[in-house]
Amino acid sequence: MSGLLPEGFWTRNETLVAIVIILFCIVATLSDPLFFSATTLTDLLRASIVLGILAVAAMLVLISGGIDVSFTAVAVFAMYATTVFTLAVAPEMPWFVIFAISIGIGACLGAINGIFIAGFGLPTLIVTLGTLSVFRGFLLTFVGSQRISALPPEMREFSRMMITRGTTEAGNFYALPWAFAALVFVVVLTWFILHRTMLGRSIFAIGGSVESARRIGINVGATQFFVYVYVGALAGLAGIIHGAMGRMADPFSLVGLELSVIAAVVLGGARLIGGYGTITGTLLGVALIVLVQNSLIVVGIPSTWQSVTIGLLILLGTGLPAWQAKRAAARAA
Amino acid sequence: MAAATNGALVDMKGVTKRYGGVTALDGVDFTVNAGEAVCLAGENGSGKSTLIKILSGVEQPTAGTISINGTERTNLNPRVSAAAGVMVIFQDFSLFPNMSVAENIAFSTQLGQNRTLFDRGHARKLAQSVLERIGVDIALDARVESLPVAHKQLVAICRALASEARLIIMDEPTTALTEREVRSLLAIIRRLKEEGVAVLFVSHKLAEVLEVCEKVFVLRNGKKVAEGPATDFDAASLTRHMTGRDVPEAPPSAVTEGSKTLLDVENLSKDGAFDNVSFALKAGEVLGVSGLLGSGRTSLAKALFGLVEPDSGTIRLDGEAFALGDPIAAASAGIGYVPEDRLTEGLFLTQSIARNIAVGRLDAHEKRGFLDLGALMSEATDWLTRLKVKAPDPQAPVRSLSGGNQQRVALARWLSRAPRVLVLNGPSVGVDVGSKADIHDIIRDLARSGIGVIVISDDLPELLATCHRILVMKAGRVVDEIAGNSVTEDELAHRLAS
């Protein structure tokens, strides 16, 4: 066994989460054979696009040793402001321009976090708690608080672009939108930055030890600034996709989701102290949260139990490896 | 002395540094030649840290000149210093615990090459070649957090070498190492010297590195007070120069005849840590426990205080057994424990000095459910005076104290509880020579007052200066018992290593 699998395989969060997912799917399939179908799969994939992009962003912040709770406010701000702007200026703009505007707005808001955190050296949680409120309040006060269901035509068009669609043998409809490609793109880009660039390695380094990073000449401020701008840009992307797929620009949506997102990331093995986190783990964490949010009813648990279940999963999923580590440390002492 | 400056790797002349009104360095001349190992000795506050900071470009001197490789440098900064080959290995090694050995070694080099992309293959190749250069074998993919201290230090050395260090400055290199690990470090230093790399040891515990050094500089109060070939110095003369006074260490006076047994440990075993350990401790006796790292000495110490739960055996205090594996039971039975790593295990660093002492006495100063803060604090400040803690203000954070004074605070906390038995793990680790002698005085005084003291240490002079008996542990077993006044340091070293 030990020859085939990397050391510590069985005690990793990733393994644990994957096992829970598999068990969940087995139980779900046993209680409802229709669960195991292309329809369920595409439903779940669709549901994980926005959560997945936000989770990858949140993971990056955790790796750098910070925590960001403002990204949902950034996402909804970028989405709504972009929609309002597009409708007012040029409703016929192609979808990729609309997306670019939303990403740009997100990056600017992220830069505000970055200035406070990297520039003034303030604690990340305090700053983002503050900007969460400020961004959202600013949006509702100055940009608008009306739901907009008459979206620019290109945004509606985007949500109808499908990678694959069809009908299963059981007669159920399934479809996977092109928006899913955005998640794939974000995953690949973020993986590349984290593992193939010096910038990415510096993010791990400052998460491991800020003082050491400074001493060997890593530009800590610039690295942190990049992290928050990148996270803002990803939030802008997630926001506009959320609006397009929901066919509505709702300024009250998304905010409140930040803890589920951080939960997914922590379930996947990222540590709040910084320096640790994998994309595989984060995606598995997202898959588990999405599964619980969408399919709990299939295994016979009422959907009102959703948050209890997610809470228990977090306690188990992060508590178990932590407990194992503690026992290993006690044995070594 | 005049000729030595030609071809010097580093040459400092008349370097002075003032912080406000305080003169940290006062007209110091200092040279290091290529391939030379130099000791820079001095107590805390002597100016040695300032000297490192100036050499590594972190601080600018107020006056004086610095030349590296014959070129005078007026505006040193950390990048310029590093590019000139001056690398500092800090006491905490400044590594990234979450990253692999290979990346830790290669990171600064790759950063210096202004790369955009990270090349894992290059990092591994570079790390491998440096590890081979110093002849050690550490798994390239291991996370640094999983390595023992000695290996972390080697990784830090490798990182300096990977970026073509010409002078490696090592801050307190031996404090965390056992004797055997110090030996292998010295072997590596010899290898580096043959390749022309210079090494500067900066420490207050230098006797053990003297043998690889060519030159010794001693700083005291910002001034150079002694300089010369290493062969002219020994542990005693170094201490004399560093403190400016002789610190003779009187061996402990004999245990009072007929004093009764205080602590009785029988057949204590813990799988993988210690095996069938039995001993007795009399009132007024100081018992040393020594052995190499991994011999089980630290686990045994923790087991006495309930921090490690033994699998079997009994511990009796005054003939009464108490619950094992329970620090609260041990403390209320009358056992005190001062851990080796004060910073992480013993003290609340950011809290005030007085609070750190008082925290052990909260329950004693309870009045009808409320805390009698006045009595609590006056007791705490009383202990500060009794243990001669040099603290400007009992409300200042413990972090602001020197190592020696921090250790006294940790001791004061336990002493205020009037323990019967005190277990001291590495009582003078990270403490300067003067304070060390004071701490040894305190230990001998405690014993005279009837407390049983157990000193866990691998510092041989310390054991000889404080202990009546010394137990030697190896692979979890007590293999030898030595009367403190019957051996010399060399004999003790021999019996420990055999």
Side-chain angles (χ1 to χ4, degrees), chain B residues 238-492:
Chain B
L238 265 181
T239 305
R240 199 165 52 242
H241 288 301
M242 276 157 68
T243 56
R245 62 194 150 103
D246 279 299
V247 189
E249 288 259 38
S253 49
V255 185
T256 326
E257 283 285 326
S259 70
K260 63 185 177 91
T261 298
L262 204 57
L263 187 75
D264 196 6
V265 174
E266 256 179 72
N267 306 327
L268 212 58
S269 293
K270 164 96 181 160
D271 193 31
F274 46 84
D275 190 16
N276 216 9
V277 174
S278 300
F279 62 86
L281 177 73
K282 283 184 182 149
E285 187 182 27
V286 183
L287 177 68
V289 178
S290 193
L292 300 170
L293 204 71
S295 61
R297 58 185 160 95
T298 296
S299 303
L300 177 66
K302 288 185 171 175
L304 292 176
F305 188 61
L307 293 170
V308 163
E309 188 173 359
D311 299 327
S312 62
T314 52
I315 306 177
R316 284 194 191 84
L317 192 69
D318 283 331
E320 293 208 24
F322 59 88
L324 299 178
D326 179 0
I328 296 174
S332 54
I335 295 185
Y337 176 70
V338 180
E340 187 169 23
D341 190 348
R342 291 183 296 278
L343 304 185
T344 60
E345 293 175 20
L347 293 168
F348 305 103
L349 285 180
T350 55
Q351 301 258 355
S352 76
I353 298 163
R355 279 194 188 177
N356 263 283
I357 299 174
V359 68
R361 296 278 290 161
L362 292 178
D363 43 357
H365 289 287
E366 192 203 293
K367 263 191 198 162
R368 291 183 294 275
F370 289 92
L371 201 56
D372 184 351
L373 211 57
L376 186 68
M377 287 304 160
S378 75
E379 185 186 68
T381 36
D382 182 43
W383 277 104
L384 287 180
T385 8
R386 280 165 76 180
L387 289 187
K388 295 186 236 162
V389 178
K390 281 184 208 114
D393 174 7
Q395 298 310 320
V398 160
R399 203 182 38 198
S400 66
L401 295 177
S402 69
N405 284 318
Q406 287 181 359
Q407 185 70 326
R408 277 175 238 215
V409 171
L411 272 170
R413 176 191 301 160
W414 281 109
L415 294 177
S416 66
R417 296 180 61 115
R420 312 288 315 279
V421 172
L422 204 52
V423 182
L424 306 175
N425 196 354
S428 61
V429 171
V431 163
D432 59 52
V433 180
S435 304
K436 194 166 168 173
D438 290 344
I439 286 173
H440 294 167
D441 270 339
I442 294 173
I443 294 174
R444 287 185 291 258
D445 281 347
L446 290 176
R448 264 195 294 277
S449 74
I451 295 179
V453 183
I454 296 177
V455 173
I456 318 279
S457 177
D458 57 359
D459 180 333
L460 305 184
E462 170 164 285
L463 290 167
L464 291 175
T466 54
C467 298
H468 297 104
R469 274 188 303 148
I470 299 160
L471 301 179
V472 178
M473 289 188 72
K474 189 176 276 179
R477 287 173 169 276
V478 174
V479 291
D480 205 353
E481 183 180 326
I482 303 167
N485 55 10
S486 73
V487 285
T488 65
E489 193 179 328
D490 285 346
E491 285 166 19
L492 184 58

Side-chain angles (χ1 to χ4, degrees), chain A residues 65-281:
Chain A
I67 188 162
D68 186 343
V69 292
S70 72
F71 56 85
T72 51
V74 172
V76 73
F77 191 110
M79 175 264 285
Y80 193 77
T82 304
T83 311
V84 171
F85 175 79
T86 308
L87 289 172
V89 178
E92 302 302 320
M93 273 196 290
W95 65 266
F96 49 85
V97 177
I98 299 176
F99 272 45
I101 294 171
S102 184
I103 293 172
I105 293 176
C108 290
L109 296 180
I112 295 177
N113 280 335
I115 288 168
F116 280 112
I117 290 164
F120 297 112
L122 300 179
T124 58
L125 178 63
I126 312 272
V127 168
T128 56
L129 264 177
T131 53
L132 167 76
S133 272
V134 172
F135 293 159
R136 186 154 189 263
F138 195 88
L139 171 71
L140 297 175
T141 319
F142 296 106
V143 186
S145 54
Q146 300 291 316
R147 291 192 176 87
I148 303 172
S149 48
L151 292 183
E154 276 274 322
M155 273 173 81
R156 268 179 286 153
E157 202 50 45
F158 174 80
S159 68
R160 294 202 195 98
M161 291 158 51
M162 296 295 165
I163 298 173
T164 173
R165 69 166 81 205
T167 313
T168 59
E169 284 172 24
N172 289 317
F173 178 75
Y174 69 87
L176 185 64
W178 268 102
F180 187 73
L183 174 59
V184 176
F185 173 74
V186 165
V187 163
V188 172
L189 178 67
T190 309
W191 179 86
F192 183 82
I193 292 174
L194 276 181
H195 296 281
R196 285 291 177 268
T197 69
M198 288 306 286
L199 176 64
R201 301 320 288 166
S202 301
I203 294 174
F204 273 100
I206 65 172
S209 167
V210 177
E211 193 51 43
S212 305
R214 239 178 231 124
R215 281 182 184 155
I216 69 164
I218 292 174
N219 190 334
V220 173
T223 309
Q224 280 183 322
F225 190 73
F226 167 81
V227 168
Y228 291 93
V229 171
Y230 184 73
V231 166
L234 290 189
L237 174 65
I240 199 72
I241 290 175
H242 174 79
M245 289 184 24
R247 315 230 171 142
M248 181 174 4
D250 178 357
F252 294 98
S253 63
L254 288 171
V255 172
L257 200 66
E258 57 276 350
L259 292 185
S260 298
V261 172
I262 294 172
V265 180
V266 172
L267 264 178
R271 295 191 208 164
L272 293 174
I273 53 160
Y276 299 84
T278 62
I279 291 189
T280 319

Side-chain angles (χ1 to χ4, degrees), chain A residues 196 198 201 215 217 275-276, chain B residues 79 94 98 103 116 118 145:
Chain A
R196 285 291 177 268
M198 288 306 286
R201 301 320 288 166
R215 281 182 184 155
Y276 299 84
Chain B
R79 274 182 185 245
S94 294
N98 56 328
E103 254 194 272
T116 309
F118 166 62
E145 63 179 348

Side-chain angles (χ1 to χ4, degrees), chain B residues 1-13:
Chain B
M1 174 165 167
T5 53
N6 269 346
L9 188 60
V10 168
D11 188 14
M12 302 173 94
K13 278 209 174 71

